[in-house]
Amino acid sequence: MKTVRLTTSQALVRYLANQFIEVNGETVPYFAGVWAIFGHGNVAGLGEALYQNLDELPSFRAHNEQGMAHAAIAFAKANFRRRAMACTTSIGPGATNLITAAALAHVNRLPVLFLPGDVFASRRPDPVLQQIEDFEDGTASANDCFRPVSRYFDRITRPSQILSALPRTMAVFTDPASCGPVCLSICQDVQSEAFDFPEAFFEPKTWRIRAPEPDALELDALVDALQSAKRPLMVAGGGVLYSGASDALMQFAERCAIPVVETQAGKSALPSSHPMNLGAIGVTGTEPANAAAAEADLIIGIGTRLQDFTTGSRKLFTDDRRKFFQVNVGAYDATKHSAVPVVGDARKVLERLDDATLQTLNVDTGWTKRNAERVRDWTASVDEAFRDKGTNLPSYAEIVGAVDSASDDSAVVLCAAGTLPGELHKLWRPEQPGGYHMEYGYSCMGYEIAGGIGAKMAMPDREIFVMVGDGSYLMLNSEIATSVMMGVKLTIILLDSGGFSCIDRLQRSTGSESFNNQLEDSWHTEMPTIDFAAHAQSLGAISETVSTISELKAALHRARSAPKTVLISMKVDPDGTTDLGGFWWDVAVPEVSPSEKVQSAFEDYARTVRSPSKDS
């Protein structure tokens, strides 16, 4: 057996650079690059190896470890999990700064490779700088925090261990059911140790993402249910996009006249203008979608994990008379809500359904007509919500409408947390798959700008509109400088509501007083005056502040031809949300309180919890 003597880091980098994947018939590198912030735990080992292989595996520098991980995750999401990136940090705070991003990737089932430095395997300098000491476990380090938020975790204490760890990593990334983050915690002395690695280990390998066929009996059960249904409804989740099933979903919906509703992760699976698309479902759903869900006698979830916003905290799908099927590549998700499982790839299942004998399908024409009428009414209501009312502070809908009017069919809106996910899920009108990029599995504030970089790297020909609230912006904005440095242009629309307005409204809705969410309701001796445009300009962006919708539209027009990242700051009415659509969400109210308003809110809450369903 031929061998080559390399350090662990050199071998790891060489292996990553030789992994490929087929995307739309073309073989491309699976790893698009490595985000790196160096420190004493990785600069000498992985840093040297990355420098020696820049042509084969590009390295990128960010300003915050969590930010660069968000960029890597967004890249994978925008590529529908077909490609990924890696992130390396030092031991200590650099490593633990990745934990939040690891949890985000785990919740959203997205591939990203974390390569944090770790303690010395030899324990010569024990404790080493930044080492967390466990008084009862000498093998523990801070990187053990990655264990519950990784699909696969391994601590590399000998060079030879990567011979098994790296293929396992690729197996996780390319398995649609187990896909998620991987952490290889590499002891910093081991990074620089040499070993005689088999040359065959570095042979180029092309991976293919598995697309399992459904079980015949499970598929037959779904066909039987469809043939007896009069009001069937399909719930499209992120799995539709990840399996490349948008066309199959469209064809099946058209042929069988079955309407489709979309989760936060599944939005853009169908064009928003498609007649079978009833829009967003659940807590942040549209009136046509939630009305159809209440009336459906058969619900078919396709590639959705049925998060509580989708199900209205389990109040939306409560009719015992309806049948409920879950099509999912993972058995874990396919059996949720006591659904009848159909375990298989979303595209394969839809194609098999389309091939099945469904001539006896008898969808209620009256229900179809009601759905179409509801969509027409909803579209008119959204158009009215988008209309510039000329008020002192515009609503969220007016701002979303301005961005919508400035975008073309290929545009992408990207967001993560706060008020905007609810408004965008209902109101944004994507026409192409991936045109709606929402991180709402973990709802992580700070994802937006860094995520915009990853999305733009994945889709360089599509315009990325990053919509972010002032609260999220203040949490993590440093990657504006990274976007400028790398020439990755974003159009950032910052909505200044004076604090955490989403949670402030939630706080008041449960009977509490406004407290510690808006800046004006927080402990302070002086209210800060924050010039967001000036701040973004200091990071290298082109920026401006606007105060009216017409000014916003003009600024968006200028941004289109700008040579680099643009930030447009605008104040918004913190209570100016859309009353359209929506559904109940379970937020527990204190059972005992001296406040009469809280007592009243609890009584309403208790009645709702006891009721079999809640439709608003």
Side-chain angles (χ1 to χ4, degrees):
M1 179 179 64
K2 291 185 177 180
T3 61
V4 56
R5 192 161 182 80
L6 300 168
T7 68
T8 305
S9 297
Q10 292 163 356
L12 182 147
V13 170
R14 184 177 293 192
Y15 180 89
L16 297 184
N18 279 292
Q19 306 310 300
F20 297 87
I21 193 150
E22 283 189 2
V23 179
N24 299 323
E26 180 184 1
T27 300
V28 298
Y30 182 79
F31 291 98
V34 178
W35 289 93
I37 293 181
F38 292 131
H40 75 91
N42 67 340
V43 67
L46 273 167
E48 187 272 345
L50 288 169
Y51 177 75
Q52 298 297 336
N53 292 271
L54 286 175
D55 292 338
E56 294 80 17
L57 190 67
S59 293
F60 310 110
R61 179 199 180 282
H63 289 82
N64 178 285
E65 292 89 355
Q66 184 183 140
M68 71 183 188
H70 289 332
I73 294 165
F75 176 86
K77 181 178 175 70
N79 272 291
F80 306 127
R81 303 200 305 187
R82 290 171 174 82
R83 300 186 70 197
M85 303 179 90
C87 299
T88 179
T89 69
S90 176
I91 178 179
T96 53
N97 275 354
L98 296 175
I99 302 297
T100 296
L104 185 156
H106 192 285
V107 167
N108 290 283
R109 290 89 186 277
L110 293 168
V112 58
L113 176 57
F114 295 116
L115 301 169
D118 208 327
V119 299
F120 272 63
S122 67
R123 303 193 187 179
R124 282 194 308 272
D126 186 32
V128 70
L129 178 65
Q130 298 180 334
Q131 180 175 340
I132 298 293
E133 294 182 271
D134 188 320
F135 295 177
E136 299 176 351
D137 185 352
T139 68
S141 80
N143 287 349
D144 286 284
C145 295
F146 280 96
R147 291 182 183 273
V149 291
S150 297
R151 286 290 191 170
Y152 174 62
F153 175 91
D154 204 344
R155 177 170 283 114
I156 306 301
T157 59
R158 299 299 308 139
S160 59
Q161 290 170 352
I162 68 169
L163 292 171
S164 59
L166 287 172
R168 288 174 185 166
T169 295
M170 291 303 302
V172 169
F173 286 166
T174 54
D175 184 335
S178 68
C179 186
V182 169
C183 177
L184 301 183
S185 179
I186 311 179
C187 291
Q188 54 189 288
D189 53 342
V190 176
Q191 289 182 31
S192 299
E193 286 184 22
F195 181 77
D196 293 321
F197 290 93
E199 286 189 352
F201 184 63
F202 307 108
E203 288 294 321
K205 181 170 183 178
T206 299
W207 298 79
R208 292 171 181 83
I209 296 177
R210 192 174 296 110
E213 294 278 0
D215 177 82
L217 293 177
E218 292 182 348
L219 188 67
D220 287 345
L222 179 52
V223 170
D224 290 343
L226 279 164
Q227 288 175 332
S228 62
K230 293 186 178 299
R231 298 180 303 280
L233 178 71
M234 293 188 287
V235 182
V240 174
L241 293 165
Y242 297 151
S243 67
S246 291
D247 287 344
L249 176 65
M250 184 186 306
Q251 292 167 12
F252 182 67
E254 289 173 353
R255 184 168 80 84
C256 298
I258 301 177
V260 177
V261 296
E262 297 175 319
T263 70
Q264 284 278 11
K267 190 174 174 72
S268 78
L270 283 188
S272 62
S273 59
H274 194 278
M276 289 293 106
N277 191 344
L278 304 185
I281 190 172
V283 176
T284 53
T286 68
E287 290 170 0
N290 286 341
E295 296 176 0
D297 60 359
L298 170 64
I299 291 176
I300 308 168
I302 305 177
T304 171
R305 65 189 186 92
L306 297 177
Q307 185 236 31
D308 69 336
F309 258 58
T310 299
T311 67
S313 298
R314 291 181 174 256
K315 285 284 186 180
L316 188 55
F317 306 137
T318 55
D319 189 337
D320 293 335
R321 295 168 297 176
R322 71 163 56 102
K323 296 178 181 178
F324 191 13
F325 281 73
Q326 265 281 82
V327 175
N328 204 289
V329 75
Y332 180 89
D333 292 310
T335 55
K336 286 178 177 175
H337 289 254
S338 300
V340 179
V342 181
V343 178
D345 174 73
R347 180 173 57 83
K348 290 291 180 65
V349 172
L350 287 165
E351 288 173 348
R352 299 301 170 263
L353 286 174
D354 214 28
D355 293 339
T357 302
L358 292 172
Q359 286 88 350
T360 57
L361 201 62
N362 187 24
V363 175
D364 184 347
T365 56
W367 190 59
T368 301
K369 182 179 178 181
R370 288 198 302 278
N371 286 330
E373 291 171 348
R374 288 166 178 156
V375 169
R376 284 195 296 271
D377 291 344
W378 174 261
T379 301
S381 297
V382 172
D383 289 340
E384 173 60 21
F386 280 176
R387 184 177 62 82
D388 180 5
K389 313 301 189 300
T391 53
N392 182 39
L393 288 178
S395 68
Y396 286 89
E398 289 172 74
I399 295 174
V400 172
V403 180
D404 180 76
S405 67
S407 65
D408 59 26
D409 286 351
S410 68
V412 178
V413 68
L414 186 145
C415 188
T419 301
L420 281 165
E423 297 294 282
L424 289 167
H425 193 208
K426 291 186 288 187
L427 304 176
W428 187 253
R429 297 165 167 172
E431 290 298 314
Q432 295 181 12
Y436 182 79
H437 184 126
M438 183 65 64
E439 192 295 290
Y440 211 55
Y442 207 49
S443 184
C444 184
M445 297 177 72
Y447 173 88
E448 297 91 340
I449 294 169
I453 294 175
K456 185 67 173 179
M457 293 174 75
M459 301 180 290
D461 297 329
R462 298 178 71 169
E463 188 169 14
I464 309 295
F465 290 105
V466 173
M467 297 193 71
V468 59
D470 56 306
S472 264
Y473 179 90
L474 289 172
M475 281 193 178
L476 186 54
N477 52 60
S478 56
E479 304 316 333
I480 287 178
T482 304
S483 75
V484 173
M485 179 174 69
M486 293 178 60
V488 177
K489 183 197 169 185
L490 308 173
T491 300
I492 304 168
I493 301 95
L494 187 150
L495 285 70
D496 180 3
S497 67
F500 304 144
S501 59
C502 175
I503 301 302
D504 176 65
R505 291 192 306 278
L506 181 61
Q507 187 176 53
R508 287 184 277 130
S509 74
T510 59
S512 296
E513 302 296 332
S514 290
F515 163 62
N516 205 50
N517 285 309
Q518 296 298 88
L519 293 175
E520 63 183 7
D521 300 320
S522 306
W523 191 93
H524 61 271
T525 58
E526 179 181 347
M527 280 290 291
T529 300
I530 304 171
D531 188 335
F532 292 103
H535 180 264
Q537 187 176 15
S538 75
L539 295 176
I542 299 169
S543 63
E544 59 180 300
T545 300
V546 299
S547 57
T548 67
I549 295 298
S550 60
E551 289 177 0
L552 173 59
K553 289 181 177 179
L556 289 167
H557 178 74
R558 290 189 290 273
R560 172 157 282 187
S561 59
K564 59 180 179 179
T565 289
V566 174
L567 181 137
I568 305 166
S569 175
M570 185 176 196
K571 288 191 178 296
V572 63
D573 180 357
D575 290 326
T577 57
T578 308
D579 292 331
L580 303 170
F583 197 86
W584 182 72
W585 185 38
D586 193 343
V587 178
V589 178
E591 188 171 353
V592 177
S593 172
S595 167
E596 292 184 0
K597 289 197 296 183
V598 174
Q599 294 170 20
S600 177
F602 174 76
E603 291 173 2
D604 291 340
Y605 171 77
R607 280 193 297 270
T608 303
V609 170
R610 290 193 299 267
S611 69
S613 65
K614 177 70 177 174
D615 60 5
S616 63

